[in-house]
């Protein structure tokens, strides 16, 4: 298993032995009968939200927001089969749901998800890994320096966010080390909210702005290792996630966070800290959505009139490419389009 512990791989491979529901204590007299498709309805099941996944165990928050709110430890019931359970999932739980020391309940159902953020190992790999369920915002965290920010990686996150139906926000950290403006300028052709922070002097204003963005939402952080995701989550929520150091030679983080964990934002809402990933493949994304979502988030200069009266997001893909290449979104737009075309090219898709 890789260092990335998002649950799926953990459950289906190494950690399946920890699922007590798979332990058979005596010979099963029904072993030779065909399996029934009927499953128990679990009318007594209680609903909760998965707030973290760690090595085959799922932390579930029960009765959130009530005096009975409690965190319980669960395993997945065998009948879930290969279905993944990830942070953010709404689940039905049976068994001991008291949360008492040493208790273990079972997840028997996963509710339908409103959104699903996924990545693949690389762009040609259609096998997806689910990162979180039911988030409605994505905080794309990049550092102004150390590690050096890369616009093309942000393009990837943007595509994944649009594909998942999640609102992206760009957060540039470490503004004490470099001016964030030149990097932010790469995205001026898009309707993308940009916030900046510096952990050496988190100002109340910065934190208040971020909290107002998080208020009432479920926000998942994404970004390379070492960009400061956990540092930010700690500052916003008072949590105590371990933070790492960035190697001064390679400029890489140490992959300090290894699990995906949700934290309550004091003002309301949740922020989910994720481990930095080395690759954020988009092999699972429908290429048809990529240019459309780019066009629909474009920002046009004042007085702009769409060519032939057709808004950019309603144009055919080839025409979007053509119009952006002709300068409808300026030089910045051309660069973003080039990046998207490279991305599509990696996937073996052609555009225009
Ligand atoms: N100078 C400076 N350093 C920062 C800032 N934010 C975070 N750091 C440092 O960057 C290093 C990495 O921070 P983390 O919060 O662990 O980064 P992460 O994104 O959670 O990394 P992973 O968990 O490995 O994905 C730590 O040494 C932090 O102190 C900042 O705004 N300015
Ligand atoms: Mg971290």
């Amino acid at each position: 298993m890789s260092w990335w512990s998002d649950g799926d791989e953990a459950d289906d491979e190494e950690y399946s032995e920890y699922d007590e529901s798979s332990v058979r204590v005596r010979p099963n007299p029904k072993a030779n009968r065909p399996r029934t498709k009927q499953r128990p309805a679990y009318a007594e099941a209680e609903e909760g939200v998965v707030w973290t996944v760690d090595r085959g165990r799922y932390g579930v928050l029960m009765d959130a927001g009530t005096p009975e709110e409690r965190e319980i430890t669960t395993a997945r019931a065998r009948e879930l089969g290969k279905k993944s359970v990830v942070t953010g999932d709404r689940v039905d739980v049976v068994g001991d749901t008291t949360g008492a020391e040493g208790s273990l309940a079972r997840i028997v159902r996963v509710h339908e998800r409103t959104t699903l953020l996924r990545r693949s190992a690389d762009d040609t790999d259609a096998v997806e890994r689910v990162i979180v369920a039911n988030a409605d915002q994505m905080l794309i965290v990049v550092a102004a320096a150390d590690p050096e920010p890369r616009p093309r990686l942000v393009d990837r996150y943007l595509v994944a966010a649009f594909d998942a139906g999640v609102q992206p926000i760009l957060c540039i950290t470490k503004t004490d080390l470099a001016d964030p403006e030149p990097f932010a300028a790469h995205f001026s052709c898009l309707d993308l909210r940009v916030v900046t922070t510096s952990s050496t002097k988190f100002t109340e204003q910065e934190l208040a702005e971020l909290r107002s963005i998080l208020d009432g939402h479920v926000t998942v952080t994404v970004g390379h290792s070492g960009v400061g995701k956990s540092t930010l989550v700690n500052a916003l929520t008072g949590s105590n996630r371990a933070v790492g150091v960035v190697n001064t030679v390679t400029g890489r983080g140490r992959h300090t966070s290894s699990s995906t964990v949700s934290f309550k934002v004091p003002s309301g809402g949740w922020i989910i800290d994720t481990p930095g990933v080395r690759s954020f493949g988009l092999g699972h994304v429908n290429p048809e959505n990529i240019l459309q979502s780019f066009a629909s988030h474009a920002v046009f200069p004042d007085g702009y009139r769409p060519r032939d009266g057709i808004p950019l997001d309603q144009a055919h893909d080839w025409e979007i490419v053509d119009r952006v290449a002709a300068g409808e979104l300026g030089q910045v737009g051309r660069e973003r389009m080039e990046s998207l075309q490279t991305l599509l090219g990696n996937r073996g898709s052609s555009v225009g």
Side-chain angles (χ1 to χ4, degrees):
M1 197 185 73
S2 69
W3 52 271
W4 168 262
S5 160
D6 60 3
D8 276 0
E9 297 146 288
D11 298 329
D12 298 341
E13 293 161 20
E14 283 178 50
Y15 297 100
S16 56
E17 77 262 32
Y18 293 136
D19 183 348
E20 95 292 3
S21 62
S22 65
V23 176
R24 191 160 286 154
V25 289
R26 59 190 161 83
N28 182 353
K30 295 181 187 158
N32 293 328
R33 290 201 205 151
R35 277 181 158 225
T36 168
K37 286 222 162 57
Q38 291 279 301
R39 297 282 178 227
Y42 293 120
E44 78 286 13
E46 293 172 65
E47 188 183 328
V49 182
V50 177
W51 68 276
T52 188
V53 179
D54 196 9
R55 286 167 291 177
R57 289 287 184 255
Y58 304 84
V60 176
L61 189 71
M62 307 299 289
D63 292 315
T66 74
E68 280 77 49
E69 180 174 306
R70 64 204 180 279
E71 288 162 11
I72 67 170
T73 304
T74 68
R76 46 199 271 139
R78 195 174 195 178
E79 63 238 53
L80 284 180
K82 288 252 173 217
K83 186 161 181 55
S84 61
V85 178
V86 295
T87 301
D89 264 326
R90 301 195 156 276
V91 292
D92 287 345
V93 178
V94 298
D96 184 348
T97 60
T98 59
E101 180 96 33
S103 65
L104 186 68
R106 275 169 25 248
I107 296 176
V108 292
R109 267 190 298 266
V110 179
H111 291 212
E112 199 173 326
R113 294 151 169 167
T114 54
T115 64
L116 197 55
L117 180 62
R118 304 167 297 174
R119 70 179 180 96
S120 55
D122 64 54
D123 292 339
T124 54
D125 181 0
V127 178
E128 60 188 46
R129 290 151 203 232
V130 181
I131 303 172
V132 293
N134 302 323
D136 63 340
Q137 297 194 136
M138 176 195 278
L139 193 66
I140 302 169
V141 186
V142 294
D146 195 19
E148 216 51 49
R150 290 191 292 129
R152 289 193 175 196
L153 181 65
V154 174
D155 290 329
R156 282 181 175 277
Y157 291 135
L158 289 175
V159 168
F162 296 141
D163 177 67
V166 172
Q167 178 74 35
I169 299 141
L170 180 63
C171 177
I172 309 179
T173 61
K174 308 199 189 185
T175 55
D176 50 302
L177 300 182
D179 178 4
E181 286 310 318
F183 189 75
H186 287 294
F187 304 95
S188 58
C189 67
L190 290 176
D191 180 16
L192 175 66
R193 186 153 182 190
V194 182
V195 286
T196 57
T197 63
S198 162
S199 69
T200 55
K201 47 175 172 36
F202 274 129
T203 63
E204 262 322 301
Q205 195 189 345
E206 275 172 2
L207 293 179
E209 184 186 1
L210 266 165
R211 288 203 186 100
S212 74
I213 291 174
L214 304 180
D215 203 1
H217 293 277
V218 177
T219 307
V220 55
T221 64
V222 293
H224 263 173
S225 179
V227 294
K229 298 180 293 299
S230 300
T231 303
L232 193 60
V233 168
N234 286 344
L236 288 165
T237 68
S239 59
N240 196 18
R241 283 281 265 179
V243 298
V245 285
V246 175
N247 185 307
T248 46
V249 179
T250 63
R252 289 199 183 139
R254 291 217 174 142
H255 296 284
T256 307
S257 309
S258 61
S259 59
T260 301
V261 182
S262 325
F263 295 95
K264 243 184 217 173
V265 182
S267 51
W270 291 87
I271 186 160
I272 303 174
D273 190 20
T274 64
V277 291
R278 279 195 191 87
S279 64
F280 202 96
L282 296 171
H284 59 278
V285 173
N286 181 351
E288 283 175 17
N289 295 337
I290 295 180
L291 292 178
Q292 292 293 334
S293 53
F294 171 73
S296 59
H297 289 83
V299 172
F300 297 96
D302 285 344
Y304 163 81
R305 278 178 203 282
R307 195 198 280 182
D308 305 327
I310 300 171
L312 196 63
D313 61 336
Q314 286 171 28
H316 291 294
D317 277 3
W318 60 265
E319 209 196 347
I320 296 174
V321 174
D322 201 33
R323 282 164 58 168
V324 175
E328 278 200 27
L329 294 175
Q331 181 55 26
V332 172
R334 276 195 201 107
E335 284 164 16
R336 299 275 60 75
M337 177 58 75
E338 258 176 51
S339 165
L340 291 185
Q341 286 189 285
T342 307
L343 214 157
L344 287 160
N346 288 349
R347 302 168 34 102
S349 320
S350 60
V351 174

